[in-house]
């Protein structure tokens, strides 16, 4: 993976992401990259990154990409996760998220989770575009 995006602090209104660790966000031509350094709260009993936490950060990243693509808030319809190797705590994880197909009402997304130059997980998701509220 060869990315050099410009990272900025992730929004502070997501309590779960902020509890998991220090997160940053960047936009790229292809979508969104989240970078997170997970703390001990993200560990499973074996002391490695909990699969549920990897699923959470990929869901949030794909949501961010879908929202950017749809120009509207979205909600998760479905998510599939594939774990390839263990994720380590206190080592940055880059969640590289793209919108594969931006439909009229559903965005189809994909994410790759990279740590220390190795692909540790992949994910796909579908996000429903919410109607904009009339003001």
């Amino acid at each position: 993976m060869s990315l050099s995006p410009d990272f900025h602090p992730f929004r502070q209104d997501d309590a779960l992401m902020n509890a998991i660790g220090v997160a940053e966000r960047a936009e790229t031509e292809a979508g969104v990259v989240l970078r997170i350094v997970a703390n001990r709260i993200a560990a499973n009993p074996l002391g490695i990154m909990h699969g549920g936490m990897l699923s959470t950060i990929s869901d949030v990243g794909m949501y961010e990409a879908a929202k950017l693509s749809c120009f509207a808030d979205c909600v998760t319809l479905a998510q599939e996760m594939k774990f390839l190797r263990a994720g380590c705590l206190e080592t940055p994880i880059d969640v590289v998220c793209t919108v594969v197909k931006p439909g009229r009402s559903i965005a189809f997304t994909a994410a790759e989770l990279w740590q220390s130059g190795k692909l540790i997980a992949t994910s796909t998701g579908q996000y429903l575009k919410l109607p904009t509220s009339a003001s």
Side-chain angles (χ1 to χ4, degrees), residues 16 18 40-41 60 69 72 74 84 101 114:
L16 182 57
N18 291 312
R40 299 292 311 158
I41 198 170
V60 171
S69 174
C74 301
L84 306 174
K101 182 180 185 311
W114 293 86

Side-chain angles (χ1 to χ4, degrees), residues 5-6 8 20 24-26 36 45 50 54 57 65 68 70-71 82 95 121:
D6 187 21
H8 302 283
I20 292 171
E24 298 175 305
R25 179 185 187 276
I36 188 158
H50 193 290
L54 291 173
I57 62 176
L68 184 66
C70 293
F71 305 105
K82 303 234 188 257
V95 185

Side-chain angles (χ1 to χ4, degrees), residues 4 9-13 17-18 20 27 45-46 51-52 60 68 73 97 103 107 119 123 125-126 128 130-131 134-135:
S4 57
F10 187 67
R11 56 187 166 81
Q12 295 298 304
D13 64 347
M17 284 292 287
N18 291 312
I20 292 171
E27 292 180 14
L46 298 174
V60 171
L68 184 66
D73 278 321
C97 305
L119 185 63
S123 186
Q126 294 84 47
L128 177 67
L130 296 176
S135 301

Side-chain angles (χ1 to χ4, degrees), residues 29-86:
E29 288 181 21
V32 172
V33 179
L34 290 185
R35 176 171 287 160
I36 188 158
V37 178
N39 58 35
R40 299 292 311 158
I41 198 170
N44 68 14
L46 298 174
I48 59 175
M49 187 85 169
H50 193 290
M53 295 298 184
L54 291 173
S55 294
T56 297
I57 62 176
S58 69
D59 179 46
V60 171
M62 291 187 296
Y63 159 80
E64 291 288 326
K67 182 178 175 182
L68 184 66
S69 174
C70 293
F71 305 105
D73 278 321
C74 301
V75 293
T76 308
L77 290 174
Q79 179 184 4
E80 181 180 19
M81 197 78 198
K82 303 234 188 257
F83 303 102
L84 306 174
R85 55 178 44 94

